[in-house]
Amino acid sequence: MATDTGCLYGLTFVTHFYGARKSILAPQLGTSELMAGQVVEGTRAAIEVAAKEPGCQLIPVVSLCVAETAGLPEEMLPKKIGDAEVVLVRVPAYAIHSHPEAKDVALAALLKRLGNATAPKEKKTLALLGEVFPADPLAIDNLLRQMGVEATITLPGRAIDDLRRAGHVGALAPLHPFYKETTAVFRSWSIPVVGGAPVGISGSYAWLKAVGSLLELDPKLVNDVAEAERARAEAMLKAQPLSGRIFVTGYEGTELAYARLLVEAGAEVPYISTSIGQDPLVLPDEMWLRARGTKEIVYRKSLEDDVAALDKYPPDFVLGTTPFCAIAKERGIPAMYFTNQLASRPFFLSTGMAATLGFINQTMKGHERYQWMQSFFEGEAADA
Amino acid sequence: MSNSIPLGTIAQEAKPCQLHPQSMCPAFGSLRVLTRIEDRIPLWPRIRVACMASLL
């Protein structure tokens, strides 16, 4: 990682916190090294040390704000050292504004270098694109195989071979709407892209049909599987419908899809905010939501946007970031941290729908407890 | 003759500065993708963050 010591420390900490259990090799880039113009030399030296690891196949070089500002020309780095591919991933915060979009940049860089687009196409194979709960790709794969799909690859994944194989899959299915560079790489390989995602009743049904059509699967088989899945989702929704006004205000770039599921289940979602920028990939969900009562969708949001919405559309429940949830709770509104609570359970197809809606229904029942907490602390403040 | 330039017009019309994105450093997203790879990739599972000043 080419960056200064402060960013290196912070990112290493966060990476360990999220369980990667891997440390990061980095050149020392302090004031004296930057003044001496040693960014390239230091990074090259780090690459050489990395390449000495036995069996090394891949050395990603993550270039952050300091190295990007100082200048790290790609042509000054080796493309390959021994058997290892050296892939430069440029993710300065001043240019890549959110961490979902940095996932896209990293994956696109890896695919551009490693994707094998010259091999014969595996026509009945689908690449699923998105960092999702581990049970989700298994559920999706299980259903797709019933339709005649021979294999699925999930990206980003654990195996370098998956990156190579991605170059000759039959179609790409982005499960999240912020993979614009990665999608462009697949389009450059003439691989068709499935629109939408298997979310909720209507979304899942349309997605399964679209996959069947793009991979030229048996239409009757596809229809049977899609109808059966729709029936399961409808039965599930009937068993646990939602009501009330909910805010969806995370920073994962998946907020619109979650809002869509909640609206389909019967909730009112007047306000959604996300860290990602507006993009054509988000547009279908945005139009769907606006047609069903969503008043405001804020891209590249700030805390101030979210707080202003609390006054404008007082909600019954907030799915939000930690600081925003704290503000909602102070007002006696039940609130949950979007990332940890929702990303830690299945979401896609009827099985994901059941897990997500079950959790939200249960949490919304806690409204009276939050009100009691608020009055308790107001009483404490008055006594003090 | 000199023209006076009104100062502060833009600041008066602008929204208050909104600097709280509620998100971590974007680079974290790329690390999630890169540290996930389990094949032969030298992300040093055994060694702590290496200071390579001696190599410069």
mmCIF file of all heavy atoms in Angstrom, chain A residues 14 22-23 25-26 28 42 46 50 55 57-58 64 96 102-103 131 156 158 160 251 302-303 306 321, chain B residues 18 20 22 24 26-29 31-32 34-40 42-44 47 50-52 55-56:
data_model
loop_
_atom_site.group_PDB
_atom_site.id
_atom_site.type_symbol
_atom_site.label_atom_id
_atom_site.label_comp_id
_atom_site.label_asym_id
_atom_site.label_seq_id
_atom_site.Cartn_x
_atom_site.Cartn_y
_atom_site.Cartn_z
ATOM 1 N N VAL A 14 -8.771 -1.021 10.443
ATOM 2 C CA VAL A 14 -10.140 -1.308 9.997
ATOM 3 C C VAL A 14 -10.196 -2.660 9.287
ATOM 4 O O VAL A 14 -11.130 -3.441 9.457
ATOM 5 C CB VAL A 14 -10.655 -0.176 9.072
ATOM 6 C CG1 VAL A 14 -12.044 -0.497 8.575
ATOM 7 C CG2 VAL A 14 -10.684 1.134 9.802
ATOM 8 N N LYS A 22 -5.153 -10.194 7.733
ATOM 9 C CA LYS A 22 -3.979 -10.084 6.872
ATOM 10 C C LYS A 22 -3.367 -8.702 7.054
ATOM 11 O O LYS A 22 -4.089 -7.710 7.081
ATOM 12 C CB LYS A 22 -4.393 -10.253 5.404
ATOM 13 C CG LYS A 22 -4.771 -11.677 5.075
ATOM 14 C CD LYS A 22 -5.392 -11.745 3.719
ATOM 15 C CE LYS A 22 -5.909 -13.132 3.460
ATOM 16 N NZ LYS A 22 -6.863 -13.158 2.369
ATOM 17 N N SER A 23 -2.079 -8.670 7.155
ATOM 18 C CA SER A 23 -1.416 -7.380 7.266
ATOM 19 C C SER A 23 -1.021 -6.890 5.887
ATOM 20 O O SER A 23 -1.093 -7.617 4.910
ATOM 21 C CB SER A 23 -0.192 -7.490 8.166
ATOM 22 O OG SER A 23 -0.604 -7.796 9.470
ATOM 23 N N LEU A 25 1.777 -4.810 3.432
ATOM 24 C CA LEU A 25 3.171 -4.409 3.253
ATOM 25 C C LEU A 25 3.196 -2.999 2.654
ATOM 26 O O LEU A 25 2.456 -2.716 1.726
ATOM 27 C CB LEU A 25 3.833 -5.384 2.284
ATOM 28 C CG LEU A 25 5.327 -5.272 2.100
ATOM 29 C CD1 LEU A 25 6.053 -5.682 3.360
ATOM 30 C CD2 LEU A 25 5.763 -6.138 0.932
ATOM 31 N N ALA A 26 4.045 -2.142 3.227
ATOM 32 C CA ALA A 26 4.030 -0.761 2.740
ATOM 33 C C ALA A 26 5.413 -0.126 2.835
ATOM 34 O O ALA A 26 6.164 -0.419 3.764
ATOM 35 C CB ALA A 26 3.048 0.054 3.565
ATOM 36 N N GLN A 28 7.870 3.037 3.696
ATOM 37 C CA GLN A 28 7.797 4.172 4.624
ATOM 38 C C GLN A 28 7.647 5.434 3.780
ATOM 39 O O GLN A 28 8.502 5.748 2.959
ATOM 40 C CB GLN A 28 9.092 4.236 5.438
ATOM 41 C CG GLN A 28 9.244 5.462 6.302
ATOM 42 C CD GLN A 28 8.390 5.385 7.556
ATOM 43 O OE1 GLN A 28 8.198 4.310 8.109
ATOM 44 N NE2 GLN A 28 7.883 6.508 7.998
ATOM 45 N N GLY A 42 10.301 3.630 -3.255
ATOM 46 C CA GLY A 42 9.803 2.893 -2.093
ATOM 47 C C GLY A 42 8.788 1.829 -2.489
ATOM 48 O O GLY A 42 8.822 0.702 -1.998
ATOM 49 N N ALA A 46 9.029 -2.265 -2.174
ATOM 50 C CA ALA A 46 8.009 -3.081 -1.490
ATOM 51 C C ALA A 46 7.533 -4.210 -2.406
ATOM 52 O O ALA A 46 7.320 -5.338 -1.960
ATOM 53 C CB ALA A 46 6.835 -2.200 -1.077
ATOM 54 N N ALA A 50 7.645 -8.242 -1.778
ATOM 55 C CA ALA A 50 6.414 -9.042 -1.896
ATOM 56 C C ALA A 50 6.616 -10.223 -2.838
ATOM 57 O O ALA A 50 6.143 -11.334 -2.572
ATOM 58 C CB ALA A 50 5.277 -8.159 -2.387
ATOM 59 N N GLY A 55 5.658 -18.815 -4.288
ATOM 60 C CA GLY A 55 4.406 -19.077 -5.021
ATOM 61 C C GLY A 55 3.559 -17.852 -5.274
ATOM 62 O O GLY A 55 2.386 -17.962 -5.649
ATOM 63 N N GLN A 57 1.520 -15.055 -6.821
ATOM 64 C CA GLN A 57 0.900 -14.901 -8.151
ATOM 65 C C GLN A 57 0.403 -13.489 -8.424
ATOM 66 O O GLN A 57 0.193 -13.111 -9.569
ATOM 67 C CB GLN A 57 -0.316 -15.835 -8.270
ATOM 68 C CG GLN A 57 0.009 -17.299 -8.281
ATOM 69 C CD GLN A 57 -1.274 -18.128 -8.290
ATOM 70 O OE1 GLN A 57 -2.286 -17.724 -8.846
ATOM 71 N NE2 GLN A 57 -1.224 -19.283 -7.674
ATOM 72 N N LEU A 58 0.100 -12.752 -7.352
ATOM 73 C CA LEU A 58 -0.556 -11.454 -7.542
ATOM 74 C C LEU A 58 -0.090 -10.457 -6.487
ATOM 75 O O LEU A 58 -0.093 -10.766 -5.292
ATOM 76 C CB LEU A 58 -2.080 -11.650 -7.435
ATOM 77 C CG LEU A 58 -2.959 -10.404 -7.487
ATOM 78 C CD1 LEU A 58 -2.818 -9.691 -8.817
ATOM 79 C CD2 LEU A 58 -4.415 -10.770 -7.233
ATOM 80 N N LEU A 64 -2.949 5.452 -2.471
ATOM 81 C CA LEU A 64 -3.911 6.343 -1.811
ATOM 82 C C LEU A 64 -3.550 7.817 -2.034
ATOM 83 O O LEU A 64 -2.639 8.134 -2.795
ATOM 84 C CB LEU A 64 -3.976 6.011 -0.323
ATOM 85 C CG LEU A 64 -4.309 4.558 0.020
ATOM 86 C CD1 LEU A 64 -4.472 4.402 1.522
ATOM 87 C CD2 LEU A 64 -5.586 4.112 -0.675
ATOM 88 N N ILE A 96 -12.258 9.072 -5.422
ATOM 89 C CA ILE A 96 -13.228 7.976 -5.234
ATOM 90 C C ILE A 96 -13.953 8.284 -3.935
ATOM 91 O O ILE A 96 -13.376 8.170 -2.867
ATOM 92 C CB ILE A 96 -12.522 6.603 -5.099
ATOM 93 C CG1 ILE A 96 -11.413 6.428 -6.133
ATOM 94 C CG2 ILE A 96 -13.525 5.456 -5.130
ATOM 95 C CD1 ILE A 96 -11.857 6.352 -7.555
ATOM 96 N N ALA A 102 -14.928 2.248 -4.317
ATOM 97 C CA ALA A 102 -13.545 1.758 -4.318
ATOM 98 C C ALA A 102 -13.494 0.246 -4.524
ATOM 99 O O ALA A 102 -12.526 -0.281 -5.084
ATOM 100 C CB ALA A 102 -12.853 2.145 -3.007
ATOM 101 N N LYS A 103 -14.550 -0.462 -4.086
ATOM 102 C CA LYS A 103 -14.626 -1.902 -4.378
ATOM 103 C C LYS A 103 -14.669 -2.097 -5.892
ATOM 104 O O LYS A 103 -14.005 -2.984 -6.442
ATOM 105 C CB LYS A 103 -15.909 -2.508 -3.781
ATOM 106 C CG LYS A 103 -15.972 -2.575 -2.301
ATOM 107 C CD LYS A 103 -17.314 -3.203 -1.884
ATOM 108 C CE LYS A 103 -17.556 -3.028 -0.411
ATOM 109 N NZ LYS A 103 -18.890 -3.504 0.010
ATOM 110 N N GLU A 131 -20.544 -7.867 -3.132
ATOM 111 C CA GLU A 131 -20.102 -8.438 -1.869
ATOM 112 C C GLU A 131 -21.347 -8.657 -1.020
ATOM 113 O O GLU A 131 -21.960 -7.695 -0.544
ATOM 114 C CB GLU A 131 -19.161 -7.437 -1.186
ATOM 115 C CG GLU A 131 -18.248 -8.037 -0.194
ATOM 116 C CD GLU A 131 -17.472 -6.964 0.540
ATOM 117 O OE1 GLU A 131 -17.937 -5.819 0.624
ATOM 118 O OE2 GLU A 131 -16.408 -7.277 1.036
ATOM 119 N N PRO A 156 -16.719 -9.926 -5.802
ATOM 120 C CA PRO A 156 -15.347 -10.327 -5.543
ATOM 121 C C PRO A 156 -15.304 -11.624 -4.742
ATOM 122 O O PRO A 156 -16.113 -11.821 -3.841
ATOM 123 C CB PRO A 156 -14.800 -9.159 -4.719
ATOM 124 C CG PRO A 156 -15.994 -8.517 -4.106
ATOM 125 C CD PRO A 156 -17.123 -8.742 -5.021
ATOM 126 N N ARG A 158 -12.701 -15.376 -3.522
ATOM 127 C CA ARG A 158 -11.448 -15.771 -2.883
ATOM 128 C C ARG A 158 -10.402 -16.268 -3.870
ATOM 129 O O ARG A 158 -9.220 -16.281 -3.559
ATOM 130 C CB ARG A 158 -11.724 -16.890 -1.876
ATOM 131 C CG ARG A 158 -12.548 -16.437 -0.701
ATOM 132 C CD ARG A 158 -12.868 -17.588 0.231
ATOM 133 N NE ARG A 158 -13.761 -17.166 1.296
ATOM 134 C CZ ARG A 158 -13.352 -16.545 2.392
ATOM 135 N NH1 ARG A 158 -12.088 -16.311 2.585
ATOM 136 N NH2 ARG A 158 -14.216 -16.167 3.306
ATOM 137 N N ILE A 160 -8.168 -16.496 -7.420
ATOM 138 C CA ILE A 160 -7.669 -15.750 -8.574
ATOM 139 C C ILE A 160 -8.236 -16.364 -9.864
ATOM 140 O O ILE A 160 -8.523 -15.659 -10.829
ATOM 141 C CB ILE A 160 -6.121 -15.754 -8.574
ATOM 142 C CG1 ILE A 160 -5.608 -14.945 -7.370
ATOM 143 C CG2 ILE A 160 -5.566 -15.158 -9.869
ATOM 144 C CD1 ILE A 160 -4.114 -14.995 -7.184
ATOM 145 N N TYR A 251 -24.452 3.755 4.053
ATOM 146 C CA TYR A 251 -23.393 4.237 3.156
ATOM 147 C C TYR A 251 -22.844 3.109 2.304
ATOM 148 O O TYR A 251 -21.743 3.184 1.780
ATOM 149 C CB TYR A 251 -22.279 4.942 3.940
ATOM 150 C CG TYR A 251 -21.669 4.153 5.079
ATOM 151 C CD1 TYR A 251 -20.998 2.956 4.844
ATOM 152 C CD2 TYR A 251 -21.740 4.621 6.381
ATOM 153 C CE1 TYR A 251 -20.445 2.234 5.870
ATOM 154 C CE2 TYR A 251 -21.182 3.905 7.437
ATOM 155 C CZ TYR A 251 -20.530 2.706 7.168
ATOM 156 O OH TYR A 251 -19.970 1.993 8.182
ATOM 157 N N SER A 302 -24.783 13.671 3.425
ATOM 158 C CA SER A 302 -24.046 14.032 4.634
ATOM 159 C C SER A 302 -24.995 13.844 5.814
ATOM 160 O O SER A 302 -26.215 13.683 5.627
ATOM 161 C CB SER A 302 -23.583 15.483 4.565
ATOM 162 O OG SER A 302 -24.714 16.325 4.608
ATOM 163 N N LEU A 303 -24.453 13.881 7.006
ATOM 164 C CA LEU A 303 -25.275 13.724 8.209
ATOM 165 C C LEU A 303 -26.351 14.809 8.268
ATOM 166 O O LEU A 303 -27.485 14.564 8.679
ATOM 167 C CB LEU A 303 -24.371 13.789 9.448
ATOM 168 C CG LEU A 303 -25.048 13.557 10.797
ATOM 169 C CD1 LEU A 303 -25.689 12.190 10.869
ATOM 170 C CD2 LEU A 303 -24.043 13.713 11.932
ATOM 171 N N ASP A 306 -29.482 13.905 6.415
ATOM 172 C CA ASP A 306 -30.300 12.917 7.125
ATOM 173 C C ASP A 306 -31.062 13.561 8.284
ATOM 174 O O ASP A 306 -32.241 13.278 8.503
ATOM 175 C CB ASP A 306 -29.418 11.778 7.656
ATOM 176 C CG ASP A 306 -28.875 10.892 6.527
ATOM 177 O OD1 ASP A 306 -29.300 11.085 5.372
ATOM 178 O OD2 ASP A 306 -28.038 10.026 6.812
ATOM 179 N N THR A 321 -26.631 5.112 9.715
ATOM 180 C CA THR A 321 -25.253 5.032 10.180
ATOM 181 C C THR A 321 -25.230 5.235 11.693
ATOM 182 O O THR A 321 -26.221 5.682 12.281
ATOM 183 C CB THR A 321 -24.422 6.135 9.526
ATOM 184 O OG1 THR A 321 -25.026 7.380 9.867
ATOM 185 C CG2 THR A 321 -24.372 5.995 8.023
ATOM 186 N N GLN B 18 -21.273 21.077 4.844
ATOM 187 C CA GLN B 18 -21.692 19.737 5.260
ATOM 188 C C GLN B 18 -20.524 18.779 5.054
ATOM 189 O O GLN B 18 -20.261 18.339 3.952
ATOM 190 C CB GLN B 18 -22.896 19.288 4.442
ATOM 191 C CG GLN B 18 -24.070 20.238 4.631
ATOM 192 C CD GLN B 18 -25.335 19.746 3.980
ATOM 193 O OE1 GLN B 18 -25.298 18.948 3.063
ATOM 194 N NE2 GLN B 18 -26.457 20.234 4.458
ATOM 195 N N HIS B 20 -19.816 15.933 7.057
ATOM 196 C CA HIS B 20 -19.865 14.647 7.736
ATOM 197 C C HIS B 20 -20.460 13.580 6.818
ATOM 198 O O HIS B 20 -21.663 13.418 6.748
ATOM 199 C CB HIS B 20 -20.688 14.775 9.019
ATOM 200 C CG HIS B 20 -20.450 13.646 9.970
ATOM 201 N ND1 HIS B 20 -20.322 12.338 9.556
ATOM 202 C CD2 HIS B 20 -20.295 13.626 11.299
ATOM 203 C CE1 HIS B 20 -20.124 11.570 10.602
ATOM 204 N NE2 HIS B 20 -20.090 12.320 11.671
ATOM 205 N N GLN B 22 -20.290 10.379 7.085
ATOM 206 C CA GLN B 22 -20.675 9.202 7.892
ATOM 207 C C GLN B 22 -20.044 7.912 7.401
ATOM 208 O O GLN B 22 -20.511 6.831 7.705
ATOM 209 C CB GLN B 22 -22.190 9.019 7.905
ATOM 210 C CG GLN B 22 -22.964 10.256 8.283
ATOM 211 C CD GLN B 22 -24.454 10.034 8.204
ATOM 212 O OE1 GLN B 22 -25.008 9.292 8.986
ATOM 213 N NE2 GLN B 22 -25.091 10.652 7.263
ATOM 214 N N MET B 24 -16.379 5.536 6.232
ATOM 215 C CA MET B 24 -14.935 5.419 6.430
ATOM 216 C C MET B 24 -14.194 5.793 5.146
ATOM 217 O O MET B 24 -14.822 6.090 4.135
ATOM 218 C CB MET B 24 -14.569 4.007 6.883
ATOM 219 C CG MET B 24 -14.688 2.936 5.839
ATOM 220 S SD MET B 24 -16.360 2.357 5.576
ATOM 221 C CE MET B 24 -16.572 1.287 6.971
ATOM 222 N N PRO B 26 -12.660 5.737 1.682
ATOM 223 C CA PRO B 26 -13.055 4.916 0.534
ATOM 224 C C PRO B 26 -12.110 3.749 0.263
ATOM 225 O O PRO B 26 -12.553 2.685 -0.168
ATOM 226 C CB PRO B 26 -13.039 5.908 -0.626
ATOM 227 C CG PRO B 26 -13.289 7.223 0.006
ATOM 228 C CD PRO B 26 -12.635 7.161 1.351
ATOM 229 N N ALA B 27 -10.814 3.934 0.556
ATOM 230 C CA ALA B 27 -9.851 2.871 0.246
ATOM 231 C C ALA B 27 -10.187 1.564 0.951
ATOM 232 O O ALA B 27 -9.793 0.494 0.509
ATOM 233 C CB ALA B 27 -8.451 3.322 0.642
ATOM 234 N N PHE B 28 -10.930 1.668 2.049
ATOM 235 C CA PHE B 28 -11.319 0.462 2.773
ATOM 236 C C PHE B 28 -12.077 -0.510 1.857
ATOM 237 O O PHE B 28 -11.918 -1.730 1.956
ATOM 238 C CB PHE B 28 -12.170 0.850 3.988
ATOM 239 C CG PHE B 28 -12.752 -0.327 4.704
ATOM 240 C CD1 PHE B 28 -11.939 -1.283 5.284
ATOM 241 C CD2 PHE B 28 -14.121 -0.488 4.796
ATOM 242 C CE1 PHE B 28 -12.480 -2.374 5.938
ATOM 243 C CE2 PHE B 28 -14.669 -1.571 5.447
ATOM 244 C CZ PHE B 28 -13.848 -2.519 6.025
ATOM 245 N N GLY B 29 -12.881 0.037 0.965
ATOM 246 C CA GLY B 29 -13.627 -0.821 0.037
ATOM 247 C C GLY B 29 -12.694 -1.659 -0.820
ATOM 248 O O GLY B 29 -12.915 -2.857 -1.027
ATOM 249 N N LEU B 31 -9.693 -2.553 -0.051
ATOM 250 C CA LEU B 31 -9.034 -3.555 0.801
ATOM 251 C C LEU B 31 -9.943 -4.744 1.071
ATOM 252 O O LEU B 31 -9.484 -5.877 1.178
ATOM 253 C CB LEU B 31 -8.588 -2.918 2.116
ATOM 254 C CG LEU B 31 -7.371 -2.017 1.990
ATOM 255 C CD1 LEU B 31 -7.096 -1.323 3.306
ATOM 256 C CD2 LEU B 31 -6.150 -2.807 1.556
ATOM 257 N N ARG B 32 -11.223 -4.487 1.185
ATOM 258 C CA ARG B 32 -12.155 -5.615 1.385
ATOM 259 C C ARG B 32 -12.088 -6.572 0.209
ATOM 260 O O ARG B 32 -12.126 -7.779 0.375
ATOM 261 C CB ARG B 32 -13.584 -5.102 1.551
ATOM 262 C CG ARG B 32 -13.825 -4.525 2.921
ATOM 263 C CD ARG B 32 -15.298 -4.347 3.169
ATOM 264 N NE ARG B 32 -15.978 -5.612 3.259
ATOM 265 C CZ ARG B 32 -16.722 -5.998 4.283
ATOM 266 N NH1 ARG B 32 -16.851 -5.208 5.315
ATOM 267 N NH2 ARG B 32 -17.344 -7.147 4.290
ATOM 268 N N LEU B 34 -9.489 -6.857 -1.965
ATOM 269 C CA LEU B 34 -8.150 -7.421 -2.167
ATOM 270 C C LEU B 34 -7.750 -8.401 -1.050
ATOM 271 O O LEU B 34 -7.099 -9.399 -1.324
ATOM 272 C CB LEU B 34 -7.121 -6.286 -2.264
ATOM 273 C CG LEU B 34 -7.348 -5.330 -3.438
ATOM 274 C CD1 LEU B 34 -6.443 -4.117 -3.331
ATOM 275 C CD2 LEU B 34 -7.139 -6.035 -4.762
ATOM 276 N N THR B 35 -8.156 -8.116 0.186
ATOM 277 C CA THR B 35 -7.755 -9.021 1.275
ATOM 278 C C THR B 35 -8.622 -10.280 1.298
ATOM 279 O O THR B 35 -8.314 -11.228 2.015
ATOM 280 C CB THR B 35 -7.843 -8.337 2.658
ATOM 281 O OG1 THR B 35 -9.160 -7.843 2.842
ATOM 282 C CG2 THR B 35 -6.853 -7.210 2.780
ATOM 283 N N ARG B 36 -9.675 -10.280 0.537
ATOM 284 C CA ARG B 36 -10.538 -11.467 0.460
ATOM 285 C C ARG B 36 -9.862 -12.602 -0.311
ATOM 286 O O ARG B 36 -10.122 -13.778 -0.058
ATOM 287 C CB ARG B 36 -11.829 -11.057 -0.260
ATOM 288 C CG ARG B 36 -12.850 -12.146 -0.426
ATOM 289 C CD ARG B 36 -13.997 -11.614 -1.257
ATOM 290 N NE ARG B 36 -14.733 -10.596 -0.539
ATOM 291 C CZ ARG B 36 -15.835 -10.837 0.164
ATOM 292 N NH1 ARG B 36 -16.302 -12.055 0.234
ATOM 293 N NH2 ARG B 36 -16.460 -9.872 0.784
ATOM 294 N N ILE B 37 -8.983 -12.240 -1.240
ATOM 295 C CA ILE B 37 -8.363 -13.251 -2.104
ATOM 296 C C ILE B 37 -7.462 -14.156 -1.264
ATOM 297 O O ILE B 37 -6.620 -13.680 -0.505
ATOM 298 C CB ILE B 37 -7.566 -12.568 -3.242
ATOM 299 C CG1 ILE B 37 -8.519 -11.732 -4.101
ATOM 300 C CG2 ILE B 37 -6.862 -13.610 -4.099
ATOM 301 C CD1 ILE B 37 -7.823 -10.851 -5.106
ATOM 302 N N GLU B 38 -7.674 -15.461 -1.408
ATOM 303 C CA GLU B 38 -6.960 -16.425 -0.558
ATOM 304 C C GLU B 38 -5.826 -17.138 -1.285
ATOM 305 O O GLU B 38 -5.114 -17.912 -0.688
ATOM 306 C CB GLU B 38 -7.937 -17.484 -0.019
ATOM 307 C CG GLU B 38 -8.977 -16.934 0.950
ATOM 308 C CD GLU B 38 -8.394 -16.595 2.311
ATOM 309 O OE1 GLU B 38 -7.187 -16.794 2.500
ATOM 310 O OE2 GLU B 38 -9.149 -16.106 3.165
ATOM 311 N N ASP B 39 -5.691 -16.953 -2.573
ATOM 312 C CA ASP B 39 -4.633 -17.637 -3.303
ATOM 313 C C ASP B 39 -3.281 -17.023 -2.945
ATOM 314 O O ASP B 39 -3.167 -16.260 -2.010
ATOM 315 C CB ASP B 39 -4.886 -17.548 -4.812
ATOM 316 C CG ASP B 39 -5.995 -18.501 -5.225
ATOM 317 O OD1 ASP B 39 -6.329 -19.386 -4.423
ATOM 318 O OD2 ASP B 39 -6.522 -18.357 -6.334
ATOM 319 N N ARG B 40 -2.291 -17.317 -3.761
ATOM 320 C CA ARG B 40 -0.933 -16.865 -3.446
ATOM 321 C C ARG B 40 -0.806 -15.365 -3.629
ATOM 322 O O ARG B 40 -0.496 -14.871 -4.703
ATOM 323 C CB ARG B 40 0.060 -17.580 -4.358
ATOM 324 C CG ARG B 40 0.115 -19.055 -4.097
ATOM 325 C CD ARG B 40 0.851 -19.316 -2.808
ATOM 326 N NE ARG B 40 0.999 -20.754 -2.605
ATOM 327 C CZ ARG B 40 1.735 -21.282 -1.655
ATOM 328 N NH1 ARG B 40 2.394 -20.518 -0.833
ATOM 329 N NH2 ARG B 40 1.813 -22.584 -1.524
ATOM 330 N N PRO B 42 0.745 -11.944 -1.524
ATOM 331 C CA PRO B 42 1.607 -11.667 -0.367
ATOM 332 C C PRO B 42 1.048 -10.579 0.539
ATOM 333 O O PRO B 42 1.570 -9.485 0.608
ATOM 334 C CB PRO B 42 2.905 -11.220 -1.027
ATOM 335 C CG PRO B 42 2.453 -10.567 -2.287
ATOM 336 C CD PRO B 42 1.221 -11.299 -2.729
ATOM 337 N N LEU B 43 -0.032 -10.902 1.248
ATOM 338 C CA LEU B 43 -0.554 -9.921 2.190
ATOM 339 C C LEU B 43 -0.135 -10.267 3.613
ATOM 340 O O LEU B 43 -0.753 -9.854 4.570
ATOM 341 C CB LEU B 43 -2.075 -9.816 2.057
ATOM 342 C CG LEU B 43 -2.484 -8.969 0.861
ATOM 343 C CD1 LEU B 43 -3.901 -9.272 0.437
ATOM 344 C CD2 LEU B 43 -2.335 -7.491 1.142
ATOM 345 N N TRP B 44 0.921 -11.058 3.688
ATOM 346 C CA TRP B 44 1.594 -11.315 4.958
ATOM 347 C C TRP B 44 0.654 -11.664 6.114
ATOM 348 O O TRP B 44 0.438 -10.864 7.002
ATOM 349 C CB TRP B 44 2.475 -10.116 5.351
ATOM 350 C CG TRP B 44 3.826 -10.262 4.797
ATOM 351 C CD1 TRP B 44 4.932 -10.691 5.465
ATOM 352 C CD2 TRP B 44 4.227 -10.043 3.442
ATOM 353 N NE1 TRP B 44 5.987 -10.748 4.587
ATOM 354 C CE2 TRP B 44 5.583 -10.352 3.355
ATOM 355 C CE3 TRP B 44 3.562 -9.633 2.304
ATOM 356 C CZ2 TRP B 44 6.286 -10.273 2.186
ATOM 357 C CZ3 TRP B 44 4.253 -9.548 1.127
ATOM 358 C CH2 TRP B 44 5.602 -9.858 1.080
ATOM 359 N N ILE B 47 3.291 -11.607 9.298
ATOM 360 C CA ILE B 47 4.142 -10.475 9.674
ATOM 361 C C ILE B 47 3.281 -9.236 9.882
ATOM 362 O O ILE B 47 2.305 -9.039 9.180
ATOM 363 C CB ILE B 47 5.169 -10.193 8.558
ATOM 364 C CG1 ILE B 47 5.947 -11.470 8.265
ATOM 365 C CG2 ILE B 47 6.108 -9.071 8.950
ATOM 366 C CD1 ILE B 47 6.830 -11.385 7.056
ATOM 367 N N ALA B 50 4.910 -3.856 7.683
ATOM 368 C CA ALA B 50 6.361 -3.771 7.551
ATOM 369 C C ALA B 50 6.813 -2.342 7.280
ATOM 370 O O ALA B 50 6.293 -1.679 6.402
ATOM 371 C CB ALA B 50 6.804 -4.674 6.416
ATOM 372 N N CYS B 51 7.738 -1.882 8.043
ATOM 373 C CA CYS B 51 8.348 -0.596 7.764
ATOM 374 C C CYS B 51 9.573 -0.855 6.904
ATOM 375 O O CYS B 51 10.469 -1.590 7.287
ATOM 376 C CB CYS B 51 8.750 0.076 9.073
ATOM 377 S SG CYS B 51 9.758 1.526 8.806
ATOM 378 N N MET B 52 9.586 -0.305 5.717
ATOM 379 C CA MET B 52 10.636 -0.669 4.775
ATOM 380 C C MET B 52 11.626 0.455 4.546
ATOM 381 O O MET B 52 12.219 0.568 3.487
ATOM 382 C CB MET B 52 10.003 -1.099 3.447
ATOM 383 C CG MET B 52 9.160 -2.365 3.641
ATOM 384 S SD MET B 52 8.468 -2.904 2.122
ATOM 385 C CE MET B 52 9.910 -3.129 1.146
ATOM 386 N N LEU B 55 14.951 -0.237 3.077
ATOM 387 C CA LEU B 55 15.106 -0.581 1.665
ATOM 388 C C LEU B 55 15.279 0.648 0.787
ATOM 389 O O LEU B 55 15.573 0.535 -0.389
ATOM 390 C CB LEU B 55 13.872 -1.361 1.188
ATOM 391 C CG LEU B 55 13.736 -2.759 1.811
ATOM 392 C CD1 LEU B 55 12.361 -3.300 1.574
ATOM 393 C CD2 LEU B 55 14.784 -3.678 1.218
ATOM 394 N N LEU B 56 15.023 1.814 1.346
ATOM 395 C CA LEU B 56 15.080 3.016 0.512
ATOM 396 C C LEU B 56 16.505 3.515 0.347
ATOM 397 O O LEU B 56 17.340 3.289 1.190
ATOM 398 C CB LEU B 56 14.211 4.114 1.136
ATOM 399 C CG LEU B 56 12.725 3.789 1.166
ATOM 400 C CD1 LEU B 56 11.966 4.871 1.932
ATOM 401 C CD2 LEU B 56 12.160 3.680 -0.227
#
